[in-house]
Amino acid sequence: MEQPIKILIVEDNVIIADDMQSMLEEIGYEIVDNVIVYEQAVEVLKTQQVDLVLIDIILASDKTGIDLGKHIRENYDIPFIFVTSNSDRATVENAKTVKPNGYLVKPFEQQDLYTSIEIALSNFIYGKQNASNGTANSGNTEDVAMSNSILKDSIFVKKQHLYYRIQFGDIQFIKADNVYLEVNTVDKKFLVRSPLKDYLEKLPQNKFYRAHKSYIVNVDHIDAINSKDIMINNTLIPISKDFKEFIISAMNS
């Protein structure tokens, strides 16, 4: 099933931290933890799945939010945003040394927080996309970048105003429909804009195969097979001759 973006809050003002958590949960994000010092944040990052970190620059410890940003840059491939009351030139210049994905000045509204997070995620993953392709995307770059991007063992798809991550294992099959793809999980369908061939390259090669010119299937979800079709979750999916031979060979091996 789809999972909301998991966020770690690092803020030593408990009242502000609680307000931030309420704002984020109301939007639909999941708060992994809400901590006040560098050491606690390092431990959470080590033991929990975190997609994005919101960091106050001044923390209740010897090490600052900038130290934490440096730690994240050196050890994790996730975006982080500085959330701070300090917008003076010296603080900004110091913050820039660890290349944050965003910089939000207090006080702020819920919409400011939402916008900063979504832009940070989009730019971060779009940057990874460009790095892997060596070229920039054209057209609707936000949808293409997020829809085709991988984070750990998941892929992002957009639903309404949020980007959700879906575990690879939960994807049953993907159907091409003109310029869109219909990504089917056990109980949900998502539309993404991408060529089928490009999407297949983003998925684990030992699980996902081109069963037909219009379908990608997760072989772990195949319930039945005949000479022309396979069945996944009561849906009949046509198969090519090559895929039929591959499945039969796999069954007999």
Side-chain angles (χ1 to χ4, degrees):
M1 296 178 65
E2 74 275 11
Q3 298 180 1
I5 300 299
K6 298 178 185 294
I7 296 177
L8 169 63
I9 298 173
V10 188
E11 166 64 68
D12 66 350
N13 184 313
V14 177
I15 295 175
I16 293 176
D18 288 346
D19 284 345
M20 287 172 61
Q21 179 162 348
S22 296
M23 289 181 190
L24 293 168
E25 289 177 338
E26 186 176 309
I27 295 170
Y29 300 114
E30 179 179 332
I31 306 306
V32 175
D33 210 335
N34 196 331
V35 301
I36 63 173
V37 294
Y38 171 95
E39 291 77 13
Q40 291 175 320
V42 168
E43 186 61 26
V44 173
L45 288 165
K46 189 188 302 181
T47 58
Q48 302 289 327
Q49 177 183 303
V50 177
D51 299 324
L52 179 140
V53 190
L54 296 170
I55 310 171
D56 188 9
I57 289 180
I58 306 301
L59 299 173
S61 59
D62 292 336
K63 292 202 171 185
T64 67
I66 293 174
D67 292 319
L68 180 58
K70 182 179 180 182
H71 175 79
I72 292 171
R73 277 286 167 265
E74 292 175 348
N75 297 279
Y76 301 95
D77 192 21
I78 59 174
F80 64 87
I81 297 171
F82 285 136
V83 183
T84 179
S85 302
N86 302 295
S87 57
D88 60 278
R89 182 181 294 273
T91 301
V92 173
E93 289 299 318
N94 198 13
K96 282 165 60 178
T97 62
V98 294
K99 297 180 172 59
N101 302 91
Y103 195 99
L104 186 60
V105 179
K106 305 172 190 173
F108 49 80
E109 301 295 331
Q110 184 182 53
Q111 187 61 34
D112 301 323
L113 192 56
Y114 165 72
T115 302
S116 295
I117 290 170
E118 289 300 314
I119 290 175
L121 283 167
S122 181
N123 288 343
F124 175 76
I125 298 178
Y126 183 48
K128 286 167 65 71
Q129 174 93 358
N130 283 344
S132 63
N133 290 346
T135 58
N137 283 316
S138 59
N140 189 337
T141 55
E142 183 185 35
D143 282 350
V144 173
M146 293 299 293
S147 297
N148 286 345
S149 296
I150 297 171
L151 189 59
K152 297 179 182 175
D153 57 351
S154 312
I155 199 160
F156 280 100
V157 295
K158 187 176 183 180
K159 182 180 180 182
Q160 296 177 340
H161 67 290
L162 288 177
Y163 292 99
Y164 288 85
R165 64 185 302 172
I166 300 179
Q167 300 290 325
F168 288 136
D170 291 334
I171 299 174
Q172 296 186 323
F173 65 90
I174 300 165
K175 178 183 178 182
D177 185 8
N178 294 320
V179 297
Y180 289 94
L181 300 180
E182 182 185 277
V183 180
N184 289 262
T185 65
V186 176
D187 57 354
K188 295 276 194 313
K189 293 181 182 179
F190 300 90
L191 285 180
V192 298
R193 189 183 179 95
S194 172
L196 195 66
K197 179 177 179 294
D198 291 353
Y199 215 73
L200 179 59
E201 292 175 356
K202 305 292 180 182
L203 301 169
Q205 296 181 2
N206 62 331
K207 299 292 183 184
F208 290 88
Y209 295 89
R210 188 85 171 258
H212 180 271
K213 65 181 181 180
S214 299
Y215 286 90
I216 294 170
V217 300
N218 183 342
V219 293
D220 287 346
H221 288 282
I222 296 175
D223 299 316
I225 182 172
N226 61 28
S227 60
K228 296 181 179 179
D229 310 283
I230 55 174
M231 179 175 285
I232 295 179
N233 195 20
N234 295 318
T235 300
L236 276 179
I237 296 171
I239 58 176
S240 67
K241 179 182 177 182
D242 288 345
F243 184 74
K244 173 190 170 185
E245 292 174 353
F246 163 74
I247 289 295
I248 292 174
S249 174
M251 290 169 58
N252 293 332
S253 61

